Amino acid sequence: MRTATTIEGSAGDWRMITEFVVEAEKLGLDMCWVAEAWGADAPSPLGFLAARTERILLGSGVIQLGTRSPVTIAQTAMTLAHLSGGRFVLGLGASGPQVLEGLHGIPFARPLSRMRETVEIVRATFTGEKISYSGERFTIPLPGGEGRPMRLSLSPVSVPIYLATLSPKMLELTGEIADGWLGTSFVPEGAAAYFTHLDAGLARSGRSRADLDICQGAEINIVDESRLAETLGSRKLELAFSLGGMGSSDTNYYNKAYSRQGWAEVAAAVRERWQSGDRMGAATLITDEMVLATTLIGTESMVRDRLRTWRDAGVDTIRLYPAGDTLTARLDNLGHGIDLIHGLGSPAENRIGTATT
């Protein structure tokens, strides 16, 4: 398995964030994704990190559809590919109505067609040819005006495109058109809830699982057995937020993902309590099993066994979210995780590779 991590700029301590990524590269980390939700944007820190690193792949994890036009997304990706010397990977996500409509004032309707058309336009832009597109969501150039097909002045690039998806139809689309899948809320024992749809999309495009990088994420926190119960307890409130507070009152893809993997009743109850304002009550409904199933929390032997399960389930690249109150603690957890993954055997072949400029 390849190793990756994700950083967020919402914390605001850019010196520490940059130092973390630079040191992570020295530890042998393969990829670093930069998140974008309602905090810092992703492209700005990616450009900065491109200048501070030499080997590590850098990805947008993710740029949200609708917040930029498809051609703007392509311009950004091409610029970052050139700045990084071909180390950029484009991650896209549909986001949700709470962010798109509540923060950006953009309708969330029909994300499936928006995703497909955005990827088609972005890839067409990468070629350096004139852009002419007619779809359900986008028409370039606009008809009836003075616009004519144009091309970007940037040199063509080849940038891998990963999609962050959770719903069945979006998963099928990912299998059909993407180079990689940025998954979350993943339970290896319930992987069929995702892979059934990914494989359907892969078959539609005449591809196999070997053509799609399965990139999954989990918090890693290696602790002594004496601290295990306390550590699990602290994680339950965060999981309750994902199930009860992420998205709108009607649309929560994380809740639906857990429901499809065997926790429908618990997920519904957590959401009900969270939405009513009883956040601690919601957290008490989260079981140890739910936390252990979707994280890499535990003793060294527990985490090693869990990593083996993730690998055997079909995960190619694992995003490690290292726990820790200090930079040193986070790097210790990350380094420990990288060593454990490398100890499982030879890393999986880098099927997707890096971008080329």
Side-chain angles (χ1 to χ4, degrees), residues 2 31-33 46 57-61 77 80-81 84 86-91 159-162 179 182 352-355:
R2 290 192 302 176
M31 304 179 73
C32 177
W33 297 92
L46 282 165
L57 291 173
L58 299 168
S60 58
L80 287 167
S84 64
R87 292 184 289 129
F88 178 66
V89 179
L90 176 61
V159 175
I161 298 178
Y162 285 54
D179 298 303
L182 288 172
I352 303 302
T354 63

Side-chain angles (χ1 to χ4, degrees), residues 66 70 100 106-118 121 133-140 142:
L100 284 190
I106 299 168
F108 180 68
R110 307 188 70 81
L112 188 69
S113 58
R114 177 179 279 169
M115 179 72 85
R116 178 186 291 277
E117 293 187 14
T118 295
I121 295 168
Y133 187 87
S134 180
E136 177 185 324
R137 303 289 299 184
F138 302 102
T139 302
I140 303 172
L142 284 177

